[in-house]
């Protein structure tokens, strides 16, 4: 979205946001990984419990995402849920729960089955942040209206390619080898780094 919308670019690549994300994760620089809209239509199914980083083209314990409500996100229309503390225990080697089965992640992490999920109700325009290894899901939309949101994922500056294609094109993959730094400004622009100073 940041490539086609000047409004999205203005906010998602704002150095003030980048500095805040770096402060949250205790890192010295951050880049956009990818953004997307999350359209949960009327009467839509829940989104399964999952962890993002195992599916991404880099591995980091300091990836972070912003989730922005474009409509009120309620229990009734499919707000987000988190398993508090799961980011401390999650590992890259497990698939991360992506499945049509809402609870598939508990086959990989049976120790989380007794965890109480935290629901995050947001007003239109509010945002929540979560670490890229935090288990999260969204409930069903039990209303006749859409629940719209967008998210932007960020990776630490200096993150390296792990061999997973994810959002990268075949052309980009053809130029990378495992261990290469992901720093293509046209794909993963730098939002803020310590060298830039305070925004």
């Amino acid at each position: 979205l940041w490539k086609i919308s000047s409004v999205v670019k203005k906010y998602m690549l704002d150095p003030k946001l980048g500095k805040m994300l770096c402060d949250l994760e205790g890192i010295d620089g951050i880049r956009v990984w990818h953004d997307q809209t999350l359209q949960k239509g009327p009467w839509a199914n829940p989104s399964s419990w999952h962890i993002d980083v195992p599916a991404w083209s880099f591995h980091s314990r300091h990836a972070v995402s912003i989730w922005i409500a474009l409509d009120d996100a309620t229990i009734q229309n499919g707000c987000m849920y988190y398993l508090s503390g799961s980011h401390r225990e999650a590992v890259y080697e497990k698939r991360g729960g992506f499945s049509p089965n809402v609870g598939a992640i508990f086959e990989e992490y049976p120790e989380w089955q007794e965890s109480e999920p935290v629901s995050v109700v947001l007003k239109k325009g509010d945002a929540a942040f979560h670490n890229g290894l935090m288990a999260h899901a969204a409930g069903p939309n039990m209303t006749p209206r859409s629940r719209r949101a967008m998210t932007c994922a960020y990776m630490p500056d200096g993150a390296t390619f792990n061999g997973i294609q994810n959002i990268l094109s075949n052309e980009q993959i053809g130029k990378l080898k495992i261990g290469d730094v992901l720093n293509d400004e046209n794909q993963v622009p730098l939002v803020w780094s310590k060298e830039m100073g305070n925004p």
Side-chain angles (χ1 to χ4, degrees), residues 108-121:
E108 296 181 303
Y109 294 95
E111 65 273 24
W112 293 350
Q113 285 187 15
E114 300 304 315
S115 299
E116 286 294 331
V118 176
S119 59
V120 180
V121 171

Side-chain angles (χ1 to χ4, degrees), residues 74-150:
T74 66
I75 300 290
Q76 193 174 9
N77 73 2
C79 71
M80 290 282 284
Y81 291 81
Y82 299 98
L83 291 184
S84 183
S86 56
H87 63 296
R88 294 187 195 99
E89 301 169 357
V91 295
Y92 311 130
E93 296 77 19
K94 296 185 181 181
R95 187 168 177 267
F98 291 98
S99 168
N101 173 4
V102 74
I105 199 168
F106 302 115
E107 295 169 17
E108 296 181 303
Y109 294 95
E111 65 273 24
W112 293 350
Q113 285 187 15
E114 300 304 315
S115 299
E116 286 294 331
V118 176
S119 59
V120 180
V121 171
L122 298 174
K123 290 289 189 188
K124 178 180 179 178
D126 286 350
F129 298 88
H130 65 269
N131 181 278
L133 287 168
M134 174 75 68
H136 57 286
N141 185 353
M142 302 298 284
T143 76
R145 294 165 298 282
S146 291
R147 186 233 62 199
R148 299 169 300 165
M150 74 159 289

Side-chain angles (χ1 to χ4, degrees), residues 10-32 62 64 66 129 154-157 189-199:
K10 173 185 172 184
Y11 290 107
M12 297 302 98
L13 274 71
D14 186 331
K16 290 182 205 154
L17 175 61
K19 169 76 163 63
M20 184 180 72
L21 295 171
C22 286
D23 289 346
L24 281 172
E25 286 299 322
I27 57 178
D28 291 336
I30 202 156
R31 292 179 175 273
V32 167
H62 298 290
V64 61
I66 182 172
F129 298 88
Y154 296 86
M155 67 177 190
D157 185 31
L190 183 67
V191 180
W192 184 83
S193 72
K194 196 173 182 178
E195 289 75 35
M196 295 167 68
N198 286 328

